[in-house]
Amino acid sequence: MKVLVTGGCGYIGSHTVVDLLNEDYEVVIVDNLSNSKIEVIDKIKKITGKEVTFYQYDLCDKEKVEIVFARENPDAVIHFAGLKAVGESVQKPLLYYENNLISTLNLLEIMQKYKARKFVFSSSATVYGKPASLPIDETFPLSPTNPYGTTKLMIENILADLYQSDNSFDITILRYFNPIGAHKSGLLGEDPNGIPNNLMPYIVKVATKELPVLNVFGNDYDTVDGTGVRDYIHVCDLSYGHVLALKNKRVGLKIYNLGTGMGTSVLELVNMFEKVNNIKIDRQFVARREGDIDACYASNAKAKEELNFECKYNLEDMCLDSYNYVKNNINQ
Ligand code: NAD
Ligand code: WQD
């Protein structure tokens, strides 16, 4: 089976490409490298010993998307490509709507033309907004609170309408919780440019002394220790969820949460990071970050039941692997 992976040079996409190659899928990557590096292709080859076909194209260019389909004729598409920074999406909403929506519309239109039917989409727990209760299951109401999240919900709605009009499509929507960690090889991981928005990349930059102190956003939430609780999932567990989605024999339009089902507070994560890496992370409490919620964690019962999804890695692995990746790549 030939799989087109959009955004395959990015954080989650690159780990998924490794899993796909390890399971003998043929892989074609399209990525414009707006948030990733070409070196990832060599690293994927180094880890797997296998080749991938790579196109440095922007999916917003429909002619380019068509060139890929005409040449490669993929059986399935896993669509990771997109912009993902919540704060930036508030500053530049039109960029987010344009990039995330046009790229997806182009892909779906060309898939329809070339009769590619299997589509796996990277959605996000952010579509749930502030949940009324926990854990969050797939039937919860959806109410994203920022333009980035709205692009995810809009795409979910587009997929539902498309499926309604043409039920030969086989669509899986995966709603990720908080991916962290990195590949055990230390070759693939997440290392954002500039000051990170997300917790684990920030902790790692304090560990490497690129940043002086972790700002903990709020200590008066209604949680175990007053700090925000999230469902952190190892990127390698998350990536394998995509292989399971391709293998899933159910056809139709399916939606799954991909999380561990376990909530971890900011302090619990920082303390675990300190313990397993034997390093001190200076932290200070600051005001809550606007738009943040107290707690968010998944019910992953549906993914377990229907995809045989399971999490093999724990919080210790996540902390070890995140730091290991950045230590290995610090001067690159
Ligand atoms: P990433 O930024 O590392 O990867 C996305 C890749 O898409 C990048 O390599 C980028 O260059 C590419 N890209 C962006 N726009 C493109 C375009 N128009 N044409 C071609 N390539 C383009 O992000 P990630 O963390 O790997 O996330 C992958 C997907 O998962 C995204 O859709 C993101 O919204 C979603 N998601 C991520 C998280 C998270 O916390 N990382 C959580 C939930 C959902
Ligand atoms: C986690 C916890 C913060 C940074 C975001 C997106 C979401 C999804 C995953 C894409 C919160 C606290 C953070 C810091 C802190 N991405 N924190 N100091 O906000 O749950 O989710 O990434 O779909 O859409 O919103 O993740 O890592 O930013 O924050 O105290 O410097 O860490 O307040 O409690 P979040 P995060």
Side-chain angles (χ1 to χ4, degrees):
M1 189 191 228
K2 191 186 267 194
V3 187
L4 171 61
V5 181
T6 77
C9 294
Y11 175 45
I12 308 169
S14 58
H15 288 82
T16 304
V17 169
V18 166
D19 286 343
L20 292 169
L21 292 170
N22 285 340
E23 302 251 341
D24 289 331
Y25 290 89
E26 251 185 282
V27 177
V28 176
I29 294 176
V30 175
D31 197 307
N32 65 1
L33 303 181
S34 59
N35 196 36
S36 52
K37 296 190 178 120
I38 187 71
E39 291 85 316
V40 166
I41 299 290
D42 283 338
K43 291 176 174 176
I44 289 170
K45 286 181 195 165
K46 199 167 171 186
I47 293 169
T48 62
K50 293 188 178 160
E51 295 292 325
V52 287
T53 307
F54 172 60
Y55 293 87
Q56 187 180 344
Y57 285 170
D58 192 320
L59 294 160
C60 292
D61 183 341
K62 202 195 297 183
E63 283 175 17
K64 292 280 172 41
V65 179
E66 177 141 22
I67 289 172
V68 176
F69 275 76
R71 280 195 202 149
E72 304 290 346
N73 197 20
D75 305 291
V77 175
I78 307 183
H79 182 33
F80 293 102
L83 298 174
K84 63 165 182 176
V86 171
E88 187 187 47
S89 80
V90 176
Q91 304 303 320
K92 300 178 185 168
L94 298 183
L95 175 69
Y96 272 66
Y97 286 115
E98 181 179 352
N99 189 72
N100 292 1
L101 294 176
I102 304 292
S103 58
T104 308
L105 289 172
N106 286 346
L107 259 178
L108 294 171
E109 199 179 312
I110 303 294
M111 280 183 75
Q112 200 159 34
K113 184 166 169 185
Y114 284 79
K115 302 198 175 358
R117 284 293 173 256
K118 203 160 180 77
F119 188 74
V120 180
F121 174 61
S122 300
S123 190
S124 167
T126 201
V127 295
Y128 295 115
K130 187 173 167 42
S133 62
L134 292 163
I136 300 169
D137 76 37
E138 291 83 351
T139 65
F140 271 38
L142 306 178
S143 59
T145 55
N146 55 70
Y148 162 71
T150 305
T151 68
K152 292 295 178 192
L153 180 55
M154 289 169 88
I155 294 168
E156 289 201 8
N157 289 336
I158 289 167
L159 292 172
D161 288 342
L162 178 66
Y163 181 71
Q164 176 86 13
S165 74
D166 179 354
N167 63 16
S168 67
F169 266 102
D170 182 5
I171 297 171
T172 304
I173 293 169
L174 300 176
R175 294 181 182 149
Y176 314 152
F177 281 66
N178 290 55
I180 59 173
H183 195 263
K184 289 276 175 211
S185 63
L187 292 172
L188 301 176
E190 188 181 28
D191 190 10
N193 293 326
I195 297 183
N197 302 306
N198 298 116
L199 180 59
M200 181 55 94
Y202 204 108
I203 294 174
V204 171
K205 283 201 188 290
V206 175
T208 57
K209 308 231 179 305
E210 289 167 81
L211 291 169
V213 58
L214 171 70
N215 294 311
V216 178
F217 299 143
N219 61 350
D220 56 353
Y221 284 112
D222 184 15
T223 61
V224 58
D225 56 21
T227 65
V229 164
R230 298 291 183 273
D231 186 338
Y232 298 98
I233 174 169
H234 196 291
V235 66
C236 293
D237 284 328
L238 183 69
S239 64
Y240 199 70
H242 297 75
V243 176
L244 296 172
L246 288 185
K247 289 184 170 170
N248 192 5
K249 293 278 181 275
R250 286 178 173 74
V251 286
L253 175 72
K254 298 139 301 205
I255 303 179
Y256 301 103
N257 286 341
L258 293 185
T260 63
M262 213 182 70
T264 301
S265 76
V266 174
L267 291 183
E268 285 169 338
L269 187 68
V270 182
N271 292 339
M272 179 63 81
F273 188 95
E274 285 187 324
K275 183 175 148 213
V276 299
N277 291 305
N278 193 22
I279 192 166
K280 176 102 183 66
I281 301 296
D282 287 327
R283 79 287 295 268
Q284 63 188 7
F285 293 116
V286 299
R288 291 179 176 198
R289 183 172 63 180
E290 202 186 320
D292 269 355
I293 53 175
D294 297 39
C296 167
Y297 51 90
S299 160
N300 60 11
K302 189 175 172 198
K304 278 184 170 163
E305 165 76 25
E306 296 188 8
L307 295 179
N308 294 322
F309 177 69
E310 55 172 335
C311 291
K312 298 193 174 109
Y313 300 100
N314 59 24
L315 210 58
E316 295 171 31
D317 298 308
M318 299 182 213
C319 291
L320 276 170
D321 297 342
S322 291
Y323 191 34
N324 179 45
Y325 169 71
V326 173
K327 277 190 295 187
N328 276 340
N329 293 276
I330 203 152
N331 292 319
Q332 288 181 25

